Amino acid sequence: MPYDDQGDYPVGYAKPPRHSRFVKGQSGNPRGRPPGAKNLKTLLNKALNERVTVTEHGGRRKITKREAIVTQLVNGSAKGDLKAIHILLEMLRDIEGHAEPDHDRFTEADAQILQRIRARLSGATE
């Protein structure tokens, strides 16, 4: 940056001289996130992808913790655990909610019903 020889820039509180504003090679946030620090998503994925040994049907095999959690959740739901059923149904709604509906299977009556539901949810009157 050019020096302030003309003096057209006011120097004062919170306005350092242009030539000393930024030091070459110095980070703008020297006390920021250290290199190699991982965020929560990375740590969670790493922990869920660790392999554990499980015993099924008299045999041992290695699966990821993610698979073990899903298996336990489904087994708990099958046994009638209401909390597990609720969690599983929420997960299924999330998964199925991302899928686009197949509009070819909708009839005209279905389209009218969907339009009424959308209007009701948005607060508009018919």
Tab-separated table of all heavy atoms in Angstrom, residues 26-35 37:
chain	number	residue	atom	x	y	z
A	26	GLN	N	1.456	-12.286	8.494
A	26	GLN	CA	0.774	-12.471	9.779
A	26	GLN	C	-0.696	-12.752	9.524
A	26	GLN	O	-1.335	-12.071	8.728
A	26	GLN	CB	0.918	-11.228	10.651
A	26	GLN	CG	0.274	-11.390	12.013
A	26	GLN	CD	0.467	-10.162	12.889
A	26	GLN	OE1	1.237	-9.281	12.547
A	26	GLN	NE2	-0.233	-10.114	13.984
A	27	SER	N	-1.221	-13.733	10.199
A	27	SER	CA	-2.623	-14.103	10.030
A	27	SER	C	-3.531	-13.010	10.582
A	27	SER	O	-3.187	-12.304	11.520
A	27	SER	CB	-2.898	-15.411	10.763
A	27	SER	OG	-4.278	-15.660	10.828
A	28	GLY	N	-4.701	-12.904	9.978
A	28	GLY	CA	-5.681	-11.940	10.464
A	28	GLY	C	-6.284	-12.348	11.786
A	28	GLY	O	-6.800	-11.533	12.530
A	29	ASN	N	-6.224	-13.641	12.091
A	29	ASN	CA	-6.770	-14.141	13.354
A	29	ASN	C	-5.751	-15.102	13.958
A	29	ASN	O	-5.908	-16.317	13.883
A	29	ASN	CB	-8.109	-14.846	13.103
A	29	ASN	CG	-8.784	-15.264	14.380
A	29	ASN	OD1	-8.360	-14.916	15.461
A	29	ASN	ND2	-9.850	-16.050	14.255
A	30	PRO	N	-4.680	-14.582	14.573
A	30	PRO	CA	-3.617	-15.458	15.044
A	30	PRO	C	-4.036	-16.419	16.150
A	30	PRO	O	-3.429	-17.469	16.317
A	30	PRO	CB	-2.539	-14.495	15.543
A	30	PRO	CG	-3.238	-13.220	15.787
A	30	PRO	CD	-4.406	-13.185	14.851
A	31	ARG	N	-5.067	-16.091	16.916
A	31	ARG	CA	-5.502	-16.990	17.989
A	31	ARG	C	-6.747	-17.773	17.588
A	31	ARG	O	-7.494	-18.254	18.421
A	31	ARG	CB	-5.787	-16.191	19.251
A	31	ARG	CG	-4.502	-15.540	19.797
A	31	ARG	CD	-4.712	-14.947	21.115
A	31	ARG	NE	-5.100	-16.005	22.057
A	31	ARG	CZ	-5.236	-15.799	23.343
A	31	ARG	NH1	-5.043	-14.613	23.852
A	31	ARG	NH2	-5.586	-16.779	24.131
A	32	GLY	N	-6.965	-17.903	16.293
A	32	GLY	CA	-8.131	-18.619	15.784
A	32	GLY	C	-8.000	-20.120	15.953
A	32	GLY	O	-7.162	-20.619	16.710
A	33	ARG	N	-8.823	-20.843	15.221
A	33	ARG	CA	-8.848	-22.297	15.305
A	33	ARG	C	-7.477	-22.855	14.945
A	33	ARG	O	-6.924	-22.534	13.893
A	33	ARG	CB	-9.894	-22.852	14.343
A	33	ARG	CG	-10.005	-24.363	14.365
A	33	ARG	CD	-11.090	-24.852	13.442
A	33	ARG	NE	-10.862	-24.502	12.058
A	33	ARG	CZ	-10.175	-25.260	11.183
A	33	ARG	NH1	-9.647	-26.393	11.570
A	33	ARG	NH2	-10.038	-24.876	9.940
A	34	PRO	N	-6.913	-23.699	15.803
A	34	PRO	CA	-5.588	-24.251	15.502
A	34	PRO	C	-5.667	-25.231	14.337
A	34	PRO	O	-6.701	-25.880	14.133
A	34	PRO	CB	-5.187	-24.955	16.790
A	34	PRO	CG	-6.450	-25.205	17.509
A	34	PRO	CD	-7.406	-24.134	17.093
A	35	PRO	N	-4.588	-25.367	13.576
A	35	PRO	CA	-4.597	-26.311	12.463
A	35	PRO	C	-4.781	-27.732	12.976
A	35	PRO	O	-4.205	-28.123	13.990
A	35	PRO	CB	-3.227	-26.133	11.809
A	35	PRO	CG	-2.485	-25.159	12.623
A	35	PRO	CD	-3.359	-24.643	13.705
A	37	ALA	N	-7.555	-28.958	14.135
A	37	ALA	CA	-8.699	-29.092	15.041
A	37	ALA	C	-9.901	-29.578	14.241
A	37	ALA	O	-10.136	-29.134	13.125
A	37	ALA	CB	-9.001	-27.765	15.708
